[in-house]
Amino acid sequence: MYIPNLPGNAVVAAIFAIFIVGQLFLGIKHKTWGYMIAAILGLLLEVVGYISRILIHNNPFNGDAFLMGLVTLTIAPAFLTASIYLCLSRIVIVYGEDISLFKPRTYTIVFCTCDIISLVLQALGGGIASSADTKKSSDLGKNIMLAGLLFQVASLALFAVACADFCFRVIKHKANRNPRYTKITSTTLFKAFLVGLLIASITIVIRSIYRCVELWGGFNSELFTGHEATFMILEGGMIIIATFCLTALHPAICFQGVWHEANFGFRTKKVNATKHSLLSDEENPTELTQFQVRR
């Protein structure tokens, strides 16, 4: 008896399609490939999910459309959180690596790994649920999806703790901030970007907690089948707010031209190259002196 609302789902699908165009334009223009790919994959899954709900409106017994919507809308935010995680390492670099408890690359590796684990669990659970022919198999798929969602909430909570810790360190150690990027980090635009990331993270957490509660009762629970308004607000609405922040406050714009410069990968290569040169020149003291003079 569950028939999704046609106008509401069509509008939400259209909004996400607009965000795809925005992310594609900004990503290509500023060459923010990793951020763009993660965001667009998440948005594409959102569009597919809501189109699936439109198909269910036309045919409530379309099992394929139901499962497609279930899986895509469940895993889509995992890609959006990956975009958020990619920003933290660069934020650490522009404020000052010495302030942070961990290296910039550590944040990216840890949280992106958590994101992959969450995505695999949710996708695996969705796959089992889609091929289930017994209630036991269906419940197994549901429980694995739930585990993935719970892991996602835990990862976001850990991410929030890491961000809060770095924020307190930035406030406490003002003298150790990176002077090279002080003009950028003190601008209203950059501060708005940080607020946007905070809002995006909070809304995704709210959405994920809601989906955990929804799935906890199973596919036949009243919350899952009888509260579309709640779904549209806590699922669609929260992700719309998150993607608006991630698009309108695009990092390439808010970093004001230093997004690529603040990439920890390039900085590591530069340091390694310098160390290699110094080690080579130590074999010839005269050449080392000349090298130091040139520097």
Side-chain angles (χ1 to χ4, degrees):
M1 300 303 294
Y2 181 64
I3 303 176
N5 178 272
L6 180 59
N9 285 279
V11 168
V12 174
I15 291 173
F16 286 126
I18 293 171
F19 284 143
I20 288 175
V21 175
Q23 286 286 346
L24 193 62
F25 171 77
L26 293 170
I28 293 175
K29 180 180 179 181
H30 298 286
K31 297 181 175 60
T32 53
W33 308 122
Y35 184 90
M36 180 191 74
I37 291 172
I40 287 180
L41 285 174
L43 288 167
L44 281 172
L45 289 172
E46 292 287 347
V47 171
V48 171
Y50 283 95
I51 289 176
S52 300
R53 290 175 62 82
I54 293 171
L55 295 175
I56 297 171
H57 172 87
N58 297 325
N59 180 9
F61 302 101
N62 188 336
D64 292 336
F66 167 77
L67 292 168
M68 185 183 299
L70 173 68
V71 175
T72 55
L73 293 179
T74 301
I75 69 176
F79 291 97
L80 300 177
T81 53
S83 294
I84 296 174
Y85 295 155
L86 289 174
C87 295
L88 181 57
S89 60
R90 287 173 166 84
I91 292 171
V92 169
I93 288 173
V94 296
Y95 272 110
E97 294 183 51
D98 294 336
I99 298 175
S100 176
L101 182 63
F102 302 104
K103 293 292 184 181
R105 70 176 70 88
T106 302
Y107 290 110
T108 300
I109 293 171
V110 170
F111 290 114
C112 284
T113 300
C114 289
D115 211 42
I116 292 171
I117 294 172
S118 170
L119 179 62
V120 169
L121 287 173
Q122 292 176 55
L124 179 61
I128 293 173
S130 65
S131 60
D133 53 4
T134 63
K135 186 179 185 302
K136 184 178 180 180
S137 298
S138 179
D139 288 343
L140 176 62
K142 181 262 294 185
N143 290 334
I144 294 176
M145 291 177 71
L146 181 60
L149 284 167
L150 288 170
F151 192 84
Q152 185 178 53
V153 172
S155 300
L156 284 165
L158 181 62
F159 178 74
V161 171
C163 289
D165 172 75
F166 182 69
C167 178
F168 289 135
R169 288 173 178 273
V170 168
I171 295 172
K172 184 178 180 180
H173 303 286
K174 292 183 178 180
N176 294 334
R177 292 185 184 181
N178 190 341
R180 183 174 184 177
Y181 302 113
T182 301
K183 290 184 178 180
I184 292 174
T185 55
S186 61
T187 62
T188 302
L189 182 60
F190 191 81
K191 292 176 182 178
F193 164 71
L194 297 179
V195 173
L197 283 186
L198 174 63
I199 294 173
S201 300
I202 291 173
T203 52
I204 292 176
V205 168
I206 293 172
R207 170 265 173 194
S208 297
I209 292 174
Y210 160 71
R211 291 305 300 272
C212 287
V213 175
E214 182 194 45
L215 277 177
W216 190 273
F219 299 138
N220 295 318
S221 67
E222 184 181 352
L223 182 60
F224 193 92
T225 61
H227 293 269
E228 186 179 18
T230 304
F231 177 88
M232 296 301 289
I233 294 171
L234 296 181
E235 168 67 45
M238 292 299 102
I239 301 302
I240 286 175
I241 294 172
T243 50
F244 174 80
C245 293
L246 296 176
T247 306
L249 296 169
H250 196 276
I253 297 174
C254 297
F255 270 75
Q256 302 166 59
V258 301
W259 172 260
H260 296 289
E261 186 178 323
N263 186 348
F264 67 83
F266 291 112
R267 291 169 64 87
T268 301
K269 292 178 181 178
K270 184 176 179 180
V271 171
N272 288 339
T274 303
K275 287 181 178 179
H276 178 73
S277 298
L278 288 171
L279 289 173
S280 299
D281 291 332
E282 281 178 353
E283 297 177 1
N284 191 327
T286 304
E287 291 182 2
L288 180 58
T289 303
Q290 293 174 351
F291 172 78
Q292 292 173 332
V293 171
R294 288 199 299 272
R295 293 289 289 177

